Amino acid sequence: MQSFNSISKEYLAQRKQAGETCRLFNKSPSKGNLKRIKELFLKSGDGVIIESGFHCDYGNQIVLGDRTFININCTILDAPISEGAITIGDDCLIGPNVQLLAVSHATNPAERLNKENFAAQISIGNNVWIGAGVIVLAGVTIGDNAVVGAGSIVTKDVAANTVVAGSPAIKLKDI
């Protein structure tokens, strides 16, 4: 995990700009406002669909593969540093109310007083289905073709070609 100060003047300004872009899109999810959202990202593939209710902190470390679908009310807490990257592969299905949280805080109370954030990458492979209400925490990799059951909290890596579910998510079967 890499630390950064999210309340620095520079990062506050970046978050404000990304928040305004998201707000405009959510108010009017037109093709023009979708284009503005995609311009925040490091990369957005062809055929990406993002439904309204989308929120990200910065966007500049988000990579979306081709033909990925992000359903309503997705929250991506990304960081403006390389360790805060969120990569979603091709042909992924992201259910409603999914949270991808690459950012966290110190558990030590004295360290939290400094307001430092910690970020670790989230990597989602190709053809992954993440069900409704799933929370994926910092530092997690989800392999190709995996399925994450609705309502799960993913705290550890998910192998390719598996189904996981629960809180915390555990492997249910191979596919």
Side-chain angles (χ1 to χ4, degrees):
M1 285 202 171
Q2 184 179 0
S3 69
F4 70 103
N5 183 345
S6 67
I7 58 173
S8 73
K9 212 174 216 187
E10 173 192 5
Y11 291 153
L12 285 171
Q14 285 181 16
R15 259 195 334 277
K16 183 177 179 182
Q17 177 59 44
E20 180 62 14
T21 301
C22 291
R23 187 188 69 74
L24 288 172
F25 171 73
N26 294 327
K27 183 177 178 183
S28 174
S30 65
K31 286 184 180 179
N33 284 332
L34 177 59
K35 181 179 177 188
R36 288 181 192 90
I37 288 277
K38 290 178 178 181
E39 288 172 351
L40 288 175
F41 302 155
L42 186 61
K43 178 185 178 280
S44 180
D46 294 330
V48 168
I49 297 171
I50 301 173
E51 297 289 345
S52 64
F54 179 82
H55 176 78
C56 67
D57 272 354
Y58 302 93
N60 63 355
Q61 291 298 313
I62 296 173
V63 175
L64 298 179
D66 296 334
R67 300 168 305 279
T68 285
F69 175 79
I70 298 176
N71 212 323
I72 60 172
N73 299 325
C74 179
T75 299
I76 297 180
L77 295 187
D78 56 321
I81 55 177
S82 62
E83 288 294 321
I86 295 184
T87 302
I88 301 172
D90 297 335
D91 302 302
C92 291
L93 300 171
I94 309 297
N97 302 307
V98 166
Q99 299 176 54
L100 305 177
L101 309 175
V103 179
S104 188
H105 302 283
T107 55
N108 180 307
E111 291 176 3
R112 265 197 319 274
L113 290 174
N114 294 329
K115 306 296 189 247
E116 287 290 314
N117 290 353
F118 298 91
Q121 296 175 344
I122 292 175
S123 179
I124 298 170
N126 296 317
N127 197 32
V128 171
W129 175 20
I130 298 179
V134 168
I135 299 172
V136 179
L137 299 181
V140 167
T141 296
I142 299 175
D144 293 345
N145 305 311
V147 175
V148 180
S152 297
I153 300 176
V154 184
T155 61
K156 296 184 177 166
D157 291 352
V158 174
N161 303 301
T162 59
V163 176
V164 301
S167 177
I170 58 169
K171 179 179 171 182
L172 300 179
K173 65 180 181 178
D174 291 315
I175 50 176

